[in-house]
Amino acid sequence: MEKINIIRIKALLTFFFILLLALTARAFYIQILSGHNLADGADSQQLIEVQGLDTRGEILDRNCKPLTGGVSQYYYFISKNQKNTDELTKLTESIDARQIASKSSEYYVYRTQSYNKEVNEELKERFNAYVFQSPARYADEQIASHLIGYLNEDENKGVSGLELMYEDKLCSKNTSLMLRADGAGRVLRGYSPVIINNTVRKSLNSRNLVTSIDRKLQYIAEKSLKSHTKKGACLVMNSQTGEILAWVSLPSFNPNNVEDYLDSQDESLLNKVSQGTYAPGSVFKLVTAAAALEEGIGMDKTFLCEGEVTVEGVTLGCSTAPDGGHQEINMEEAMAHSCNCYFAQLGAELGYEKILDMARRMGYGERVFGEFPQELTGTLPSGENLGPWSVSNISIGQGEILATPLQVAMMTAIIANGGTKPEYTLELDAGVKGEQERVISEETALMLQQMMGLVMKEGTGKRSWEVPVYGKTGTAETGNDEYRYNCWFSGYCIINDNKYVVTVLAEDGLSGSTAALPVFEEIVSYFADSY
């Protein structure tokens, strides 16, 4: 009997020993062999992706100063399992918080640039809100809003402007911002948001876009244009390199609240630098003059201005002429004083075909910045309705001719460059470019420069200029109001051997001299002081 008990005890000990070995082996497998996989699995169950936050590359100016990401915002992450949604709405509206990331099925995500301590605490206590501060993609008063563009927040993809143009470079593909949650999906406080996908995170700097924009100049140009018009555009560029330094469109918009502008009639989302099309008015006289000079008609060619002229059955007045007109006037004087009578007669001698051909060579009627995603071609007249009777309006940039500020700036850059066409670029040091296309002869360009210089010394652009300046004013009928016009100025200044083109369009003004020229003057003053 005693022997049997000993055998049983040994068997029981053997069983427990085998069980202990099995448990030890299992623990070794879990802790050592499969530890990393199981830990990763546990982590993934506790991480919730936050939609609508900025994980894209930054957009920087030429000095690597931020054009995006320069401000902070507060984010509220709240479960949708709420009973008092009306009260939640009131609280979020009181701090101007807007719901983003509508595709999120379990959580509301609110964003605001305002912080209120009492509301913040109430949202945390009553609605178990998870709150954190993070860099914002855009400021509510975003600089260069039309140039930068905006995002589809649900997909974090560019919709317009640089955001769309450089989507492949800026995109946050395979990069997610995550919050930790418990097994029930409740966000755990005390943990900071984390970015996953280390390979993308390491290359964050390579996703930044360094543009040719000068942030301070952009600010000056925006402030100046806003002080002279409610609607318009301004483009500043280096004519030799093609680098765009400032890009302004008015009215501006808040890229954080794009939906507020979708049904608006004020054209806030219209990028007027590249999408606004206007009759160029008298700035187009540079095209007519270029066509004449290329045909061998000299600046000494004269016509009689008596304040009014009829060409091919169309009568034009000369609004800049004194009583009795300018009388006999040559091309240089006519450009300086913007004489309609002169250019109508010059156009009749040339023929409208040669003027329109020169316009096409200078970039009218086509995209001049093909890489930019939103650019219109404008309009040059054509077809059966075009005939000799059209030449008067064509010669002075009226009628069916429509142009963008981008095209007018290109024409000006061609003249400033001595007759060659630069390639627009928005990237700093975009690389070595080939030889620039010649559009007009160097001799023609020099004569146009001489005429534009006289505009600024004795004509419609006369001021006390401190640096060399060249330009042309323009005033075009809008068709909406006989006393309101779309007002142009396009010209350039020379600072330290650099030629800076400035093109200004001010809607609903009185004249190019009063509405657009002052913006050029203020920008030139900035160049003279800072460059």
Side-chain angles (χ1 to χ4, degrees):
M1 185 70 177
E2 184 177 347
K3 186 177 181 179
I4 294 174
N5 288 337
I6 292 173
I7 292 173
R8 287 177 177 175
I9 290 172
K10 287 183 177 179
L12 188 62
L13 289 173
T14 301
F15 171 76
F16 281 115
F17 179 74
I18 293 172
L19 181 62
L20 180 62
L21 285 176
L23 290 173
T24 302
R26 179 62 177 169
F28 178 81
Y29 174 79
I30 292 173
Q31 295 294 329
I32 306 300
L33 298 182
S34 299
H36 293 295
N37 293 334
L38 293 174
D40 290 342
D43 282 344
S44 65
Q45 292 173 5
Q46 294 176 357
L47 292 175
I48 299 175
E49 182 176 358
V50 182
Q51 296 175 319
L53 273 72
D54 182 25
T55 54
R56 291 167 66 86
E58 287 188 67
I59 300 176
L60 309 172
D61 85 338
R62 63 189 302 108
N63 299 308
C64 292
K65 302 296 183 182
L67 294 174
T68 58
V71 296
S72 294
Q73 292 183 330
Y74 298 89
Y75 293 86
Y76 293 84
F77 201 65
I78 302 172
S79 171
K80 287 186 176 180
N81 186 23
Q82 301 292 339
K83 295 181 180 180
N84 195 348
T85 55
D86 290 340
E87 186 62 26
L88 174 61
T89 299
K90 290 180 181 178
L91 285 171
T92 54
E93 287 181 349
S94 71
I95 54 174
D96 296 323
R98 301 177 68 90
Q99 186 180 345
I100 60 173
S102 59
K103 287 187 178 181
S104 176
S105 59
E106 299 180 10
Y107 291 87
Y108 298 113
V109 181
Y110 292 92
R111 177 184 64 203
T112 180
Q113 290 185 19
S114 302
Y115 178 78
N116 182 295
K117 184 177 180 181
E118 294 181 0
V119 174
N120 183 72
E121 293 302 317
E122 190 169 357
L123 285 169
K124 289 167 65 176
E125 292 177 7
R126 294 182 56 188
F127 297 96
N128 197 34
Y130 180 89
V131 187
F132 59 89
Q133 186 180 16
S134 179
R137 184 69 179 174
Y138 309 118
D140 285 340
E141 295 184 2
Q142 175 63 47
I143 193 171
S145 58
H146 290 87
L147 174 63
I148 290 171
Y150 57 93
L151 303 175
N152 176 327
E153 290 187 326
D154 285 332
E155 298 179 354
N156 208 31
K157 291 183 177 180
V159 174
S160 67
L162 296 177
E163 296 283 23
L164 176 58
M165 182 176 178
Y166 292 97
E167 171 63 26
D168 290 343
K169 182 178 181 66
L170 296 168
C171 72
S172 53
K173 185 177 180 181
N174 299 324
T175 306
S176 300
L177 191 142
M178 314 293 283
L179 296 178
R180 293 187 180 275
D182 61 19
R186 293 184 293 267
V187 176
L188 297 175
R189 298 183 180 181
Y191 291 95
S192 299
V194 295
I195 294 177
I196 64 170
N197 193 328
N198 291 330
T199 57
V200 176
R201 192 177 185 184
K202 289 178 181 177
S203 64
L204 186 60
N205 288 335
S206 68
R207 291 193 287 114
N208 290 343
L209 172 64
V210 181
T211 70
S212 58
I213 296 296
D214 181 322
R215 187 175 66 168
K216 187 173 181 181
L217 175 61
Q218 177 73 29
Y219 173 81
I220 295 295
E222 289 188 12
K223 182 179 179 181
S224 179
L225 189 63
K226 287 177 182 178
S227 69
H228 295 285
T229 186
K230 294 180 179 179
K231 297 181 179 181
C234 178
L235 184 77
V236 185
M237 66 176 290
N238 183 318
S239 73
Q240 291 125 307
T241 64
E243 291 178 341
I244 294 174
L245 305 175
W247 179 304
V248 185
S249 178
L250 293 182
S252 58
F253 69 97
N254 181 352
N256 289 314
N257 305 329
V258 173
E259 60 272 20
D260 291 349
Y261 304 90
L262 296 178
D263 297 324
S264 174
Q265 301 299 313
D266 67 356
E267 301 180 334
S268 294
L269 294 180
L270 184 69
N271 192 334
K272 295 189 175 183
V273 172
S274 59
Q275 293 177 301
T277 57
Y278 311 86
S282 291
V283 295
F284 194 81
K285 290 172 181 173
L286 291 167
V287 175
T288 304
L293 294 170
E294 291 282 279
E295 287 296 313
I297 300 175
M299 287 196 299
D300 57 351
K301 176 70 175 181
T302 62
F303 288 103
L304 182 64
C305 169
E306 296 179 321
E308 183 178 277
V309 68
T310 299
V311 176
E312 298 290 348
V314 177
T315 300
L316 290 178
C318 187
S319 60
T320 63
D323 291 342
H326 292 114
Q327 293 301 305
E328 190 167 326
I329 188 172
N330 65 29
M331 192 186 301
E332 186 177 19
E333 295 166 338
M335 186 70 74
H337 299 289
S338 204
C339 177
N340 285 346
C341 294
Y342 181 94
F343 282 95
Q345 294 174 85
L346 179 63
E349 183 167 321
L350 274 172
Y352 66 85
E353 297 95 340
K354 292 178 181 177
I355 300 173
L356 293 178
D357 178 65
M358 177 57 67
R360 293 186 190 94
R361 288 163 58 184
M362 286 190 159
Y364 289 90
E366 64 179 28
R367 290 167 60 95
V368 294
F369 191 6
E371 296 179 1
F372 195 73
Q374 289 104 11
E375 183 187 351
L376 299 183
T377 62
T379 304
L380 287 179
S382 61
E384 297 178 356
N385 295 327
L386 195 61
W389 56 85
S390 307
V391 73
S392 296
N393 279 323
I394 289 174
S395 300
I396 62 170
Q398 290 281 179
E400 297 179 24
I401 299 176
L402 296 175
T404 66
L406 204 58
Q407 291 169 329
V408 174
M410 177 58 76
M411 172 196 70
T412 309
I414 290 169
I415 297 170
N417 274 5
T420 60
K421 180 187 289 187
E423 291 183 28
Y424 278 126
T425 181
L426 281 160
E427 284 191 86
L428 186 66
D429 300 326
V432 179
K433 299 180 181 179
E435 186 176 348
Q436 293 182 353
E437 175 190 352
R438 178 157 294 281
V439 178
I440 56 177
S441 69
E442 187 173 1
E443 293 75 17
T444 293
L446 288 172
M447 286 186 280
L448 291 171
Q449 292 172 10
Q450 182 177 326
M451 286 188 267
M452 293 170 73
L454 191 64
V455 170
M456 310 305 284
K457 292 177 182 177
E458 299 180 8
T460 55
K462 184 178 180 179
R463 295 286 194 278
S464 297
W465 301 103
E466 297 180 3
V467 298
V469 290
Y470 307 80
K472 182 71 186 79
T473 57
T475 307
E477 296 178 3
T478 65
N480 300 324
D481 189 329
E482 61 179 320
Y483 300 109
R484 308 297 289 182
Y485 304 92
N486 288 332
C487 304
W488 290 92
F489 181 87
S490 192
Y492 64 99
C493 63
I494 302 178
I495 307 287
N496 296 328
D497 295 327
N498 289 308
K499 297 177 180 179
Y500 298 107
V501 170
V502 181
T503 296
V504 182
L505 182 279
E507 295 184 32
D508 300 330
L510 296 176
S511 71
S513 296
T514 59
L517 180 60
V519 179
F520 174 81
E521 188 174 10
E522 290 168 18
I523 292 173
V524 168
S525 179
Y526 169 77
F527 274 126
D529 292 340
S530 305
Y531 275 59

